[in-house]
């Protein structure tokens, strides 16, 4: 490049020679140019400013025209000729030709900046295959790639040029190829990148950076799933950490070589860190599980993890006792059960205990009857005959033995032929008729003999019958020993004969003002009195004939005497305190109440027949010991309650009170009362609102309880179902528990229970937590749970993460809708496991949110010191009176017997003005189905019994007196004022 000549740009500044390499490092157009007229490249740029492709820069006295690399010589010559022509025209303009030439020449319109239509994308080099980077821009005079800050050789570019038919702009597209060697030659922390630069007359535009990485996938998994054996319905976590790779591997899970789709099976959950969670293990989930990782390079399989879901065995119900194997004498009875409920599967544990039980039994041997010796002959009578007799008592037939065959008496002629008849006559067979010519004396003798024979036969028959009955089902025992050893004595004082208002012949004593009963009087002498014990399939009875030397009345007890067949579904009084109540009730009635459960049984006066006493019981069945009555879309709304004895006959309905958790604000319920059959199944008794004359019960529904008038005792429960088209709501209680003792480890747990809003359900939860060492933190919160098929979601928030960490894998926990709605699994709860950073951390503050998905919710605000012993917290009120479990006799009722009789006498008879028991039912709110009360001998008495049950806690007579006052029954009010406790 000489100083006086013109330096022509090289057509390919990066091709050949050291100078070209130096130019490549400086840029695609760093060329110093000088022309023959002494102008520098800067001057040429100014001279040729109409060619915006040439950009001049002066650096240190050296001009650097930014000439595009592909600016060839022909184009340069055309430009030089154009410049020379321009200077000639300027010279002519200054001369005489100025009048001919125009003042200015037309100029081309300015081009916009290049705009990229296609930019290079990030890509990966797989094995040794190079990748292609591509970009496209318009308008573009030139496009070149720059990789890692250096220009790519133009020979490595593949350029395509086209014309946009719409805008008329030049569109250029460039491709380059990047090999694995080029990427590996780059040292440093930065990844290999390339960028497009496009030129136009307006300037340059740069594209985004596209990164080129070498793809790989390691062979070994960082963590592989491990096989496990889990029980049915247990939550399972299979962990998988895929091999390191670029790009990061995607993970799939295979179940027996089939891909698991969590969207198709909601029981599977895949976490963001590629773990597989099986929410509730099913038998069908027993399979081989494989973790598969893949990216663009390869596909890796983990080792196979075998998951076995086992089922531990459970015993079936006991069969009935077999017959005694000995027909006579001592033997044994046997009953069996099988480990099939459920049967153990996949290595599950077999049932513990014996599959059979055996007890001894004694079968009384049958004894055939035998005749005694004949008695002496009687004196010869006027009929010329004498008699003798014998008895079937040597031995007496018993235990099913055969009776003696033959006659009890025989006769013969005692005159040795002097009389007309000389034959033996047997009482067992009919005598031959006498001859028509027999004398009157013979007839009279025969008639007398027959009468004597009949008397003797009756006496012997009665004696034999009494002896056989003694051995039929039990032995004759003395009354005093039987009463003191096996039954509750009827230690009741005789009634006062001067009180005309007593309804019954006997009544138990009232307690004194301190609530104590007077001492029991000793039994009157009953010497010589025998008690016959009869066995039955339903109950055993002791019959005490009423008399001067016996106790008052007749006692019937549930305690079985003898070895009769057992009923598999019959209830025995449980030993667990707080779940049952029992008492011996007579004709004066009483009340059984289970404390803190709102379950009670009212036995009104007259329900038990006069002179009989029943040992009655009331049981709240544990949920794990009974089958539930819900089926389909039904839900259990009350505890399952048994009252008995189931075989007793009632003279009038009793009232069973059950708490329920149905939200009755809107009529969205179809409520059904169900009873359990002897086979263990459930059947409907009545549906509220669909009663008929054949309905055996009446159900009075209140906001939190229901009262059932019934005449057949048994096992009952209230179930409900949504009435289309609106969904029903049931009330739930949410209770938060924490460990009571100070925390001595880094782990800390909080448990939230979801129970039905009944006192009995909360009582079960409190008893369970008491055994686990937990304490209730605050009063339970109410939640309305809707029949919407949405789960209950529990989550924890606002944990101080600097000191505490939640061990929960997911963001929340859920209790399935069906588990809550059906009531088949109780008590339901979720546990939040937390971990503190050090033993010095003692304060815990957080929020726990419980809500139904797309429904209502509650929030617990927790602030506690885990190093302190938490005080016990009880949701039951501490004050108030303690309700006894049983009340016997008149003091169990708020309404005195005399007032009851007068109210019934005044209202039972129908009134033309309607001022009778029907108006009383309307005033008390018991008029939903009046036909039930109309079928009773005393409708008013049944209404008063129902009033007693509905006002157990607040049974003042004001409400009843108000109803009577509105009816205009002033005469009854006078009686209540004088005789009652108003």
């Amino acid at each position: 490049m000489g100083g006086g000549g013109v330096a022509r740009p090289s057509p390919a500044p990066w091709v050949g020679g050291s100078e070209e390499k130096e130019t490549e490092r400086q840029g695609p157009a760093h060329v110093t140019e000088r022309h023959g007229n002494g102008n520098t490249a800067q001057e040429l740029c100014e001279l040729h400013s109409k060619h915006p492709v040439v950009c001049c820069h002066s650096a240190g006295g050296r001009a650097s025209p930014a000439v595009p690399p592909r600016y060839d010589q022909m184009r340069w010559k055309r430009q030089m000729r154009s410049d020379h022509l321009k200077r000639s025209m300027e010279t002519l303009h200054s001369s005489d030709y100025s009048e001919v030439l125009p003042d200015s020449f037309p100029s081309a319109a300015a081009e916009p900046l290049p705009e990229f239509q296609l930019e290079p994308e990030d890509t990966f080099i797989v094995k040794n295959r190079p990748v292609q980077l591509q970009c496209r821009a318009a308008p573009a005079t030139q496009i070149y790639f720059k990789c890692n800050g250096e220009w790519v050789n133009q020979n490595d570019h593949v350029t395509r040029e086209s014309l946009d038919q719409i805008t008329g702009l030049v569109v250029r597209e460039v491709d380059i190829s990047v090999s694995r060697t080029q990427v590996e030659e780059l040292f440093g922390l930065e990844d290999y990148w390339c960028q497009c630069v496009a030129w136009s007359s307006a300037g340059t535009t740069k594209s985004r950076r596209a990164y080129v990485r070498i793809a790989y996938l390691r062979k070994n998994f960082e963590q592989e799933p491990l096989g496990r054996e889990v029980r049915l319905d247990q939550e399972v976590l299979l962990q998988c950490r895929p091999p390191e790779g670029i790009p990061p591997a995607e993970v799939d899970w295979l179940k027996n070589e089939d891909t698991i789709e969590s969207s198709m099976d909601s029981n599977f959950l895949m976490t963001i860190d590629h773990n597989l969670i099986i929410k509730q293990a099913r038998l069908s989930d027993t399979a081989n599980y494989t973790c598969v990782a893949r990216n663009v390079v390869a596909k890796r399989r983990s080792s196979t993890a075998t998951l076995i879901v086992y089922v531990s065995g459970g015993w079936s119900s006991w069969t009935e006792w077999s017959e005694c194997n000995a027909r006579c004498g001592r033997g044994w009875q046997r009953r069996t059960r099988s480990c099939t409920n459920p049967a153990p599967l996949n290595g599950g544990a077999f049932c513990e205990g014996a599959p059979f039980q055996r007890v001894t039994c004694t079968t009384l041997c049958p004894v055939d009857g035998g005749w005694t010796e004949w008695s002496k002959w009687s004196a010869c009578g006027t009929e010329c005959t004498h008699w003798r007799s014998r008895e079937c008592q040597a031995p007496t037939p018993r235990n099913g033995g055969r009776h003696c065959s033959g006659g009890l008496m025989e006769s013969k002629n005692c005159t040795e032929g002097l009389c007309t008849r000389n034959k033996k006559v047997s009482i067992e067979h009919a005598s031959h008729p006498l001859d028509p010519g027999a004398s009157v004396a013979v007839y009279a003798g025969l008639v007398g003999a027959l009468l004597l024979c009949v008397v003797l036969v009756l006496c012997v028959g009665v004696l034999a019958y009494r002896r056989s009955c003694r051995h039929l089902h039990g032995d004759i025992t003395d009354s005093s020993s039987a009463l003191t050893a096996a039954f509750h004595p009827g230690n009741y004082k005789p009634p006062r004969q001067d009180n005309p208002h007593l309804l019954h012949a006997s009544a138990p004593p009232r307690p004194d003002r301190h609530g104590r009963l007077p001492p029991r009087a000793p039994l009157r002498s009953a010497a010589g009195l025998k008690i016959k014990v009869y066995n039955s399939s339903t109950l055993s009875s002791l019959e005490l004939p009423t008399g001067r030397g016996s106790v008052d009345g007749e006692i019937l007890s549930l305690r079985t005497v003898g070895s009769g067949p057992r009923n598999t579904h019959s209830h025995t009084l449980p030993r667990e305190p707080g779940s049952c109540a029992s008492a011996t009730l007579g004709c004066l009635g009483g009340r059984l109440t289970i404390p803190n459960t709102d379950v009670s049984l009212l036995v009104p006066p007259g329900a038990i027949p006069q002179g009989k006493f029943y040992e009655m019981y009331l049981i709240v069945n544990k949920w794990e010991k009974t089958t539930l009555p819900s089926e389909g879309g039904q839900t259990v709304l009350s505890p399952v309650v048994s009252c008995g004895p189931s075989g007793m006959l009632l003279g009038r309905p009793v009232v069973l009170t059950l708490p329920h958790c149905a939200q009755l604000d809107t009529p969205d319920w179809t409520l059904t009362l169900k009873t359990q059959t002897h086979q263990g199944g459930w059947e409907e008794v009545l549906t509220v609102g669909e009663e008929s004359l054949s309905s055996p019960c009446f159900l009075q529904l209140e906001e939190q309880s229901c009262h059932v008038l019934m005449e057949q005792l048994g096992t009952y429960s209230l179930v409900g179902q949504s009435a289309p088209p609106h969904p029903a709501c049931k009330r739930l209680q949410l209770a938060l528990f924490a460990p009571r003792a100070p925390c001595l480890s880094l782990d800390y747990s909080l448990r939230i229970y979801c129970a039905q809003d009944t006192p009995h359900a909360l009582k079960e939860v409190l008893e369970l937590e008491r055994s686990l060492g937990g304490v209730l933190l605050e009063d339970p919160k109410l939640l309305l749970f809707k029949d919407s098929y949405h789960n209950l979601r529990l989550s924890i928030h606002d944990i101080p993460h600097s000191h505490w960490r939640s061990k929960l894998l997911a963001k929340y926990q859920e209790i399935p809708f069906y588990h809550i709605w059906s009531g088949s699994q109780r008590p339901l709860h979720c546990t939040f496991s937390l971990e503190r950073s050090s033993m010095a951390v003692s304060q815990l503050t957080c929020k726990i949110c419980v809500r139904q998905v797309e429904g209502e919710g509650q929030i617990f605000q927790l602030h506690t010191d885990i190093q302190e012993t938490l005080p016990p917290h009880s949701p039951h009120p501490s004050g108030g009176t303690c309700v006894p479990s049983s009340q016997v006799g008149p003091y169990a009722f708020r309404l005195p017997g005399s007032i009851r009789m007068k109210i019934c006498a005044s209202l039972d008879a129908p009134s033309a003005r309607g001022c009778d028991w029907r108006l009383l039912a309307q005033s008390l709110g018991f008029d939903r189905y009046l036909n039930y009360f109309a079928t009773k001998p005393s409708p008013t008495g049944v209404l008063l019994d129902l009033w007693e049950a509905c006002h157990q806690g607040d049974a003042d007579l004001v409400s009843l007196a108000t109803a009577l006052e509105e009816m205009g029954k002033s005469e009854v009010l006078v009686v209540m004022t004088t005789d009652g406790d108003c």
Side-chain angles (χ1 to χ4, degrees):
M1 298 172 64
V6 178
R8 296 183 178 178
S10 172
W14 292 296
V15 179
S18 59
E19 295 181 1
E20 288 77 358
K21 295 181 180 179
E22 180 65 21
T23 305
E24 178 182 357
R25 288 191 297 269
Q26 294 178 356
H30 289 203
V31 180
T32 303
E33 304 178 53
R34 184 171 296 275
H35 299 273
N37 55 6
N39 295 332
T40 62
Q42 180 68 27
E43 295 172 347
L44 289 176
C45 288
E46 295 176 359
L47 178 62
H48 305 294
S49 60
K50 67 178 180 178
H51 301 286
V53 223
V54 180
C55 299
C56 303
H57 305 280
S58 174
R62 185 178 180 185
S64 301
V67 182
R70 299 188 64 185
Y71 208 86
D72 53 27
Q73 289 185 346
M74 296 300 296
R75 191 168 181 178
W76 183 266
K77 291 178 181 181
R78 287 196 299 271
Q79 181 179 343
M80 296 302 294
R81 290 194 192 99
S82 176
D83 294 340
H84 179 69
L85 178 61
K86 183 178 180 182
R87 286 195 296 271
S88 300
M89 294 301 294
E90 290 176 354
T91 304
L92 291 174
H93 181 69
S94 61
S95 64
D96 297 337
Y97 296 97
S98 59
E99 299 177 357
V100 180
L101 297 176
D103 295 335
S104 62
F105 291 94
S107 60
E111 290 181 332
L113 284 172
E115 183 177 349
F116 282 96
Q117 300 177 354
L118 178 65
E119 296 187 76
E121 299 290 338
D122 295 342
T123 185
F124 298 94
I125 296 177
V126 179
K127 298 183 180 179
N128 292 322
R129 293 191 295 272
V131 296
Q132 301 293 325
L133 298 181
Q134 184 179 13
C135 66
R136 182 171 60 249
T141 306
Q142 291 295 335
I143 300 180
Y144 287 95
F145 271 96
K146 178 187 288 186
C147 294
N148 293 325
E150 296 184 357
W151 295 98
V152 178
N153 193 313
Q154 69 170 355
N155 293 334
D156 296 333
H157 292 72
V158 177
T159 306
R160 292 177 294 277
E161 183 176 334
S162 61
L163 188 66
D164 193 329
Q165 299 297 330
I166 300 176
T167 61
L169 299 177
V170 177
V171 179
R172 289 185 180 273
E173 185 175 346
V174 174
D175 296 346
I176 66 170
S177 178
V178 179
S179 65
R180 183 187 183 101
T181 305
Q182 291 175 282
V183 177
E184 290 178 343
E185 286 178 353
L186 177 67
F187 294 97
L189 299 177
E190 188 177 8
D191 292 331
Y192 190 91
W193 60 269
C194 290
Q195 186 181 35
C196 259
V197 182
W199 283 269
S200 73
S201 59
T204 61
T205 302
K206 295 181 180 180
S207 70
R208 63 178 294 276
R209 289 186 178 185
Y211 290 91
V212 182
R213 300 178 179 88
I214 299 176
Y216 68 92
L217 184 63
R218 305 292 185 197
K219 292 185 178 181
N220 297 326
F221 280 73
E222 295 185 6
Q223 184 174 11
E224 294 186 294
L226 301 176
R228 298 179 59 187
E229 293 184 0
V230 298
R231 67 177 182 276
L232 189 67
D233 292 333
Q234 181 181 343
E235 184 179 85
V236 183
L237 172 63
L238 297 178
Q239 295 180 320
C240 175
R241 293 176 61 188
E244 180 186 357
I246 295 179
E250 297 180 358
V251 174
D252 291 327
W253 281 90
L254 301 182
K255 176 183 176 182
N256 290 338
E257 303 303 323
D258 294 330
T259 303
I260 296 176
E261 298 291 345
S262 58
S263 60
M264 302 297 293
D265 191 346
S266 60
N267 197 42
F268 292 104
L269 175 64
M270 296 184 187
T271 63
I272 57 176
D273 51 353
H274 311 301
N275 295 331
L276 178 65
I277 296 178
I278 303 176
K279 300 178 183 178
Q280 287 183 311
R282 304 161 297 191
L283 290 177
S284 59
D285 294 330
T286 299
N288 294 324
Y289 291 86
T290 308
C291 180
V292 179
R294 67 174 185 277
N295 64 2
V296 296
V297 179
K299 179 179 179 181
R300 310 287 188 220
R301 290 171 57 98
S302 70
S303 58
T304 299
T306 302
L307 178 66
I308 298 177
V309 181
Y310 64 85
V311 178
S312 297
W315 289 114
S316 64
S317 300
W318 287 103
T319 61
E320 294 187 0
W321 289 101
S322 64
E323 300 247 347
C324 194
N325 69 329
R327 293 187 177 182
C328 177
R330 187 179 181 86
W332 50 266
Q333 289 176 288
R334 176 189 177 99
R335 67 174 182 175
T336 60
R337 60 179 177 176
S338 59
C339 190
T340 57
N341 187 30
L345 293 174
N346 298 334
F350 196 79
C351 305
E352 296 183 359
F356 65 91
Q357 286 182 344
R358 192 169 67 176
V359 295
T360 59
C361 58
T362 301
T363 303
L364 297 178
C365 298
V367 178
D368 296 336
W371 293 111
T372 59
E373 296 292 333
W374 287 103
S375 64
K376 294 181 179 181
W377 289 101
S378 63
C380 189
T382 57
E383 298 84 2
C384 304
T385 58
H386 60 174
W387 304 85
R388 68 175 182 177
S389 64
R390 60 180 178 177
E391 294 183 355
C392 188
Q393 294 182 354
T396 302
R398 60 180 180 271
N399 304 331
R402 293 190 301 271
H403 200 275
C404 304
S405 61
L408 293 174
M409 296 183 182
E410 69 175 3
S411 64
K412 68 178 180 177
N413 194 298
C414 58
T415 60
E416 296 184 0
L418 296 179
C419 288
T420 306
R421 305 293 295 174
N422 190 15
K423 290 185 177 180
K424 293 183 180 180
V425 181
S426 177
I427 302 302
E428 180 75 9
H429 307 284
S431 302
H432 294 286
L434 297 176
D435 294 336
S439 63
V440 177
V442 175
Y443 276 111
L446 289 177
V447 171
L450 288 175
L451 290 177
L452 179 62
C453 179
V454 170
V455 172
L456 290 176
V457 169
L458 289 177
C459 294
V460 174
V462 170
L463 181 61
Y465 174 75
R466 294 185 62 182
R467 291 187 177 181
S468 62
C469 288
R470 180 180 58 185
H471 301 285
L472 184 58
H473 294 292
D475 298 328
I476 298 178
T477 59
D478 184 74
S479 62
S480 60
S481 63
L483 288 174
T484 56
F487 296 94
H488 296 291
N491 295 331
Y492 295 150
K493 290 185 178 181
R496 292 173 52 190
Q497 302 299 328
D498 57 349
N499 189 351
H501 301 299
L502 286 180
L503 296 179
H504 305 283
S506 61
R510 285 180 175 268
D512 58 14
R513 59 189 181 90
H514 299 290
R516 297 188 297 268
L517 291 174
R520 298 189 175 189
L523 290 175
R524 286 184 255 173
S525 175
L529 178 64
K530 299 297 181 179
I531 303 174
K532 293 185 179 180
V533 183
Y534 297 99
N535 292 335
S536 173
S537 60
T538 56
L539 53 87
S540 301
S541 63
L542 286 177
E543 295 188 357
L544 300 179
T546 305
R548 294 183 178 180
S550 65
V551 294
D552 182 19
E554 180 179 350
I555 298 179
L556 283 84
S557 174
L558 286 178
R559 305 186 181 181
T560 305
V561 180
S563 57
R566 301 191 181 185
N567 186 359
T568 307
H569 301 283
S570 63
H571 290 279
T572 58
L573 296 181
R575 300 293 182 181
E576 303 172 5
S579 64
C580 70
S582 63
T584 302
L585 303 181
C587 62
L588 296 183
R591 190 194 304 263
L592 300 180
T593 303
I594 302 179
N596 297 328
T597 62
D598 287 354
V599 177
S600 65
L601 178 67
L602 180 75
V603 183
I608 299 176
Q610 178 75 26
K612 294 183 181 293
F613 292 90
Y614 288 89
E615 185 182 357
M616 304 190 68
Y617 62 86
L618 183 65
I619 304 171
V620 177
N621 296 318
K622 294 291 185 179
W623 66 270
E624 70 273 10
K625 297 181 180 179
T626 184
T627 58
L628 293 178
S630 60
E631 57 183 12
Q634 292 180 338
T635 178
V636 181
L637 299 174
S638 73
V640 178
V641 176
S642 299
C643 54
S646 59
M648 64 181 292
L649 299 177
L650 297 173
R652 62 189 303 169
V654 298
V655 187
L656 176 64
T657 299
L658 301 174
H660 68 80
C661 61
Q663 183 68 14
L664 301 178
D665 291 344
T666 55
D668 301 327
W669 283 104
T670 299
L671 300 176
T672 304
L673 181 69
K674 289 191 174 184
T675 184
Q676 193 172 26
T677 62
H678 291 287
Q679 291 74 26
W682 289 88
E683 61 182 16
E684 294 184 6
V685 179
L686 64 86
T687 299
V688 178
E690 301 178 5
E691 294 89 343
S692 63
L693 290 176
S694 61
S695 300
C697 300
F698 176 83
L699 192 145
Q700 177 67 23
L701 196 62
E702 294 186 339
E703 183 178 356
Q704 293 185 342
S705 62
C706 64
H707 310 277
V708 186
L709 283 161
M710 62 178 67
E711 298 183 33
Q712 181 63 45
L713 302 182
T715 301
Y716 292 91
S717 180
L718 183 69
V719 299
Q721 191 170 7
S722 293
H726 303 292
C729 290
K730 64 186 296 187
R731 301 188 310 273
L732 301 180
Q733 294 184 100
L734 305 176
L736 177 61
F737 290 86
R740 180 179 181 182
C743 182
L744 302 179
S745 67
L746 296 179
D747 295 335
Y748 193 74
S749 296
L750 299 171
R751 287 184 294 274
I752 296 184
Y753 287 82
C754 171
Q756 295 184 354
D757 185 24
T758 59
H760 170 66
L762 181 60
K763 184 179 179 182
E764 275 189 324
V765 172
L766 292 174
E767 291 175 354
L768 175 61
E769 274 297 319
R770 190 179 298 113
S771 64
L772 298 177
V775 62
L776 183 66
L777 295 184
E778 56 179 287
D779 288 341
K781 295 182 181 294
L782 180 66
L783 176 69
L784 296 183
F785 191 77
K786 185 180 295 185
D787 185 10
S788 61
Y789 300 97
H790 290 295
N791 299 340
L792 189 68
R793 182 171 295 178
L794 300 92
S795 56
I796 188 167
H797 307 273
D798 299 344
I799 304 175
H801 296 286
S802 58
H803 302 294
W804 291 89
R805 182 181 69 88
S806 175
K807 291 186 175 182
L808 188 65
L809 296 177
K811 294 183 179 179
Y812 55 83
Q813 304 180 68
E814 286 190 351
I815 300 178
F817 166 83
Y818 180 74
H819 290 178
I820 299 176
W821 190 255
S822 66
S824 60
Q825 299 187 14
R826 291 183 296 172
L828 298 170
H829 75 281
C830 284
T831 302
F832 289 97
S833 298
L834 305 176
E835 183 181 16
R836 50 180 173 165
S837 58
S838 66
M839 297 295 291
V841 177
S842 62
Q843 298 293 327
L844 174 60
T845 304
C846 63
K847 294 180 181 179
I848 297 180
C849 178
V850 184
R851 68 180 183 90
Q852 187 181 14
V853 179
E854 301 183 9
E856 297 188 4
Q858 291 283 3
I859 295 179
F860 289 90
Q861 297 278 355
L862 180 63
H863 182 77
T864 183
D865 190 341
I866 67 173
Q867 301 291 3
E868 296 180 355
T869 301
L870 298 177
H873 180 82
S874 175
H876 302 296
S878 57
T881 59
C882 180
V883 179
S885 61
S886 62
Q887 296 170 294
V888 181
Y891 61 89
F893 307 98
R894 190 67 181 90
L895 189 64
S898 58
I899 299 178
R900 175 189 292 267
M901 290 178 61
K902 294 182 178 180
I903 295 177
C904 293
S906 176
L907 300 180
D908 275 345
S911 173
R913 296 183 295 114
C915 188
D916 52 18
W917 64 269
R918 292 169 293 183
L919 186 56
L920 177 63
Q922 183 178 358
S923 301
L924 297 178
F926 302 156
D927 57 340
R928 183 174 54 80
Y929 185 67
L930 293 177
N931 289 339
Y932 175 82
F933 302 98
T935 59
K936 304 305 174 187
S938 176
T940 309
V942 179
L943 288 171
L944 295 178
D945 297 339
L946 183 56
W947 176 84
E948 288 272 5
C950 293
H951 296 81
Q952 178 178 358
D954 57 346
D956 56 349
L957 301 181
V958 177
S959 61
L960 183 59
T962 303
L964 293 172
E965 183 180 5
E966 294 175 354
M967 297 172 59
K969 292 294 181 180
S970 57
E971 69 278 4
V972 181
L973 291 176
V974 173
V975 174
M976 294 180 65
T977 305
T978 56
D979 296 348
D981 299 326
C982 291

